[in-house]
Amino acid sequence: MPQRTRKPGPSKIRSAAFQRIRADHSSELAEDYVELIADLIDEKGEARGSDVAMRLGVANATVVKTMKRLQDAGLVTQEPYRSIFLTGEGWKMAEDGRRKHKIVEGFLLALGVPEETARIDSEGIEHHVSEATLRAMARFLARKVM
């Protein structure tokens, strides 16, 4: 007799969702920082810790601590009292964040969400949206444009 394959139950599905959210949260801070550093480099030609602190509304000490973690992760390089530079991996993460943000924000705008709200909401959603959902959003936007 053939064995029946069972679909995962609601508790297993919720467990997987919670695990993914925890993983997303662990990289969210790094993604926000490298995206902001990339924006500062594009705008000003450099990124300094004081600029990062001002834009994020956090203390300089918080930025220093986070820069150390980002440096240990291979995402940034920095000498004391000098500009912050993104590594190749840091630029890759920043560009991926920008790509996700653009798609999510465009999708929210297409749904009729006000511009300011779409900008703010997409900042949080971009960290938790799956690639499958991003592809669906991009397809929707491509059809809407045509």
Side-chain angles (χ1 to χ4, degrees), residues 28-38 52-53 56 58-59 62-64 66-67 69-70 76 86:
E28 189 171 346
L29 184 67
E31 291 169 2
D32 281 343
Y33 268 79
V34 297
E35 197 173 343
L36 175 57
I37 292 165
V52 172
L56 292 177
V58 299
T62 301
V63 172
V64 169
T66 304
M67 286 302 117
R69 284 199 303 265
L70 294 177
V76 302
L86 293 175

Side-chain angles (χ1 to χ4, degrees), residues 15-25 127-131:
S15 174
F18 290 141
Q19 287 174 1
R20 188 175 131 215
I21 288 169
R22 281 192 301 278
D24 291 346
H25 279 303
H127 300 292
H128 301 282
V129 67
S130 69
E131 283 299 322

Side-chain angles (χ1 to χ4, degrees), residues 50-96:
S50 57
D51 293 328
V52 172
M54 187 178 70
R55 294 261 180 116
L56 292 177
V58 299
N60 282 329
T62 301
V63 172
V64 169
K65 207 182 326 183
T66 304
M67 286 302 117
K68 173 72 173 116
R69 284 199 303 265
L70 294 177
Q71 201 162 8
D72 291 347
L75 299 170
V76 302
T77 60
Q78 181 184 25
E79 296 296 324
Y81 308 104
R82 307 299 267 174
S83 294
I84 303 162
F85 300 95
L86 293 175
T87 63
E89 201 59 35
W91 278 109
K92 183 179 171 207
M93 180 182 276
E95 290 303 319
D96 191 48

